[in-house]
Amino acid sequence: MNAASPSVESLFSVDETGVLKAPQFTREELDEAMRTRNDVPLVDFAVTVVLILVPPIALYVYPSIWVGLVGVVVNIHIFNRCAQIVHGSDHNALFANKKFDRLVGRFAGYFLGYQSQGHKETHDQHHLFLNSEKDADRVWCEPEAEVSSMVRGWLKDLFLVSAGHRFLQYIPNRAARPGVSGPKPSLARLAKSFAPIIAIQAMLILAYVIAARFDLAHGIGYYLLVYIAPLFILYPMQIRLRSNVEHAFLPGYRCVTAQDRRVVRSVRSNWLERSIIAPLRGEYHYEHHLVSRMPYYNAPRVREMLQKKGVSIPLANGYAYFVWRKWRMERVMDRQAGSP
């Protein structure tokens, strides 16, 4: 492990360091890894759209606080499904039919309240400047920081600071974004580009108003509490959790070269974490950074290829468990540093 204290290995394996090391793929292997299809993403998107209707239908059938709380969890799952679909579209790695690729990517972004083009521009910076000062995802994870930085970040999430930052990041053609040139969009053009988002959100409001049996005030209340509050607060909080597990440096880790900053992990998650935090193969993050144009549904096959080559894939043992171990190790190292 790169310059890490031996005691770190009592809680973390060497493999979990996670420095990205690209193996040699044959042309045939890369073609197989990047082969797209239409049926799987189309079914996944259709299921996502159907799931969006589940919370309002459930509230219509049985309006209660408990049904609303279950609806919040379902919506966070939906947000992550939509994000994975947008993510695949970012990399042109969703459908074999590229018209579907762009169209479905856009619609998935509308449910999250942003335009997929703005997300793509920001996400490209993440891949290009991974874990550096120019990484756009530093809003979610400062890889060199301790777990306490994540707690401070959660406070920002709670008070909508992160949601506002994300909204500004995802405005397309932002001239201030590193590596992105061009004029800032005019207000008229910006308003026009957000029209589809407003239309989709209006349809969602209607669904929740129907769930409240056409009581407008209660319907909007359902929408704000079950959909918007999770989207603006809880969803950013779990993005922060996931990003720290996928990219944070282990305690005691030191970067000697630029390559050392390129830390990426996949996650050996349990069924609950996969269901809520990482649906649609979201836990295969190391494999994605190795082959960024890999469709998410090919991730298990890419892992098989890597294992056959003898590649040791960095695997964190669960999202919450990884953070707990990191916090615990930081406390151990703090005590050791303070010992005479």
Side-chain angles (χ1 to χ4, degrees):
M1 185 176 296
N2 187 351
S5 166
S7 59
V8 173
E9 296 178 5
S10 65
L11 283 178
F12 292 98
S13 68
V14 173
D15 290 344
E16 285 181 277
T17 302
V19 178
L20 198 65
K21 298 177 181 177
Q24 292 296 319
F25 286 104
T26 66
R27 181 70 259 174
E28 291 76 17
E29 287 173 331
L30 281 175
D31 287 343
E32 182 179 356
M34 295 188 295
R35 185 172 295 121
T36 51
R37 49 195 297 181
N38 291 324
D39 55 341
V40 173
L42 187 60
V43 169
D44 285 337
F45 180 66
V47 169
T48 302
V49 173
V50 170
L51 285 174
I52 287 170
L53 299 176
V54 168
I57 289 173
L59 285 166
Y60 180 85
V61 174
Y62 190 79
S64 74
I65 292 176
W66 297 110
V67 171
L69 290 174
V70 172
V72 167
V73 174
V74 171
N75 277 331
I76 293 174
H77 167 79
I78 290 166
F79 301 153
N80 280 298
R81 289 179 71 97
C82 288
Q84 184 71 324
I85 290 169
V86 173
H87 181 243
S89 178
D90 286 348
H91 293 282
N92 207 30
L94 200 58
F95 288 88
N97 185 322
K98 295 310 169 188
K99 290 183 180 179
F100 285 170
D101 211 305
R102 292 185 291 273
L103 183 64
V104 170
R106 288 196 195 103
F107 267 94
Y110 297 157
F111 289 114
L112 296 172
Y114 58 69
Q115 299 173 72
S116 59
Q117 179 59 33
H119 184 279
K120 173 177 168 52
E121 292 169 7
T122 301
H123 188 66
D124 285 348
Q125 303 309 307
H126 170 59
H127 277 267
L128 186 61
F129 302 114
L130 180 61
N131 286 345
S132 73
E133 294 295 329
K134 293 182 179 181
D135 186 348
D137 278 9
R138 283 185 71 88
V139 63
W140 306 119
C141 171
E142 297 174 350
E144 65 281 352
E146 294 188 347
V147 169
S148 57
S149 73
M150 198 169 79
V151 177
R152 291 193 298 272
W154 278 336
L155 290 175
K156 294 180 181 179
D157 302 337
L158 183 62
F159 290 100
L160 304 180
V161 175
S162 301
H165 192 151
R166 184 182 69 165
F167 176 80
L168 293 175
Q169 272 193 329
Y170 291 173
I171 293 175
N173 303 315
R174 285 289 306 279
R177 187 176 297 127
V180 177
S181 59
K184 293 183 179 181
S186 65
L187 288 178
R189 183 176 178 183
L190 195 60
K192 182 179 179 181
S193 66
F194 273 88
I197 298 173
I198 295 170
I200 289 293
Q201 295 302 314
M203 291 174 63
L204 287 172
I205 292 173
L206 177 60
Y208 281 96
V209 168
I210 293 172
R213 289 171 167 77
F214 296 96
D215 184 322
L216 182 62
H218 279 86
I220 293 176
Y222 282 166
Y223 170 72
L224 293 175
L225 292 173
V226 178
Y227 195 91
I228 291 299
L231 179 61
F232 285 5
I233 299 173
L234 299 180
Y235 178 53
M237 292 177 82
Q238 67 89 52
I239 291 176
R240 190 175 302 281
L241 169 64
R242 190 182 70 229
S243 295
N244 274 269
V245 174
E246 292 169 346
H247 294 295
F249 302 155
L250 294 183
Y253 185 81
R254 296 291 181 270
C255 294
V256 178
T257 67
Q259 180 62 26
D260 292 339
R261 300 196 67 87
R262 301 184 69 79
V263 168
V264 187
R265 298 178 194 88
S266 290
V267 183
R268 190 184 288 111
S269 53
N270 58 48
W271 70 269
L272 183 62
E273 290 179 324
R274 282 195 303 276
S275 298
I276 299 175
I277 298 176
L280 304 185
R281 310 295 187 183
E283 73 273 25
Y284 287 83
H285 201 64
Y286 186 83
E287 292 84 349
H288 164 66
H289 272 266
L290 279 181
V291 188
S292 62
R293 290 191 62 188
M294 168 197 76
Y296 64 85
Y297 43 83
N298 288 350
R301 177 59 185 141
V302 171
R303 180 170 293 181
E304 288 179 12
M305 292 179 187
L306 294 170
Q307 290 172 336
K308 287 180 180 179
K309 293 176 180 294
V311 175
S312 182
I313 299 168
L315 281 170
N317 286 314
Y319 292 93
Y321 185 53
F322 178 92
V323 172
W324 178 81
R325 285 185 301 153
K326 186 172 185 283
W327 175 84
R328 182 181 170 191
M329 198 62 246
E330 288 169 357
R331 303 288 73 74
V332 169
M333 295 181 70
D334 285 345
R335 286 195 297 270
Q336 289 175 346
S339 298

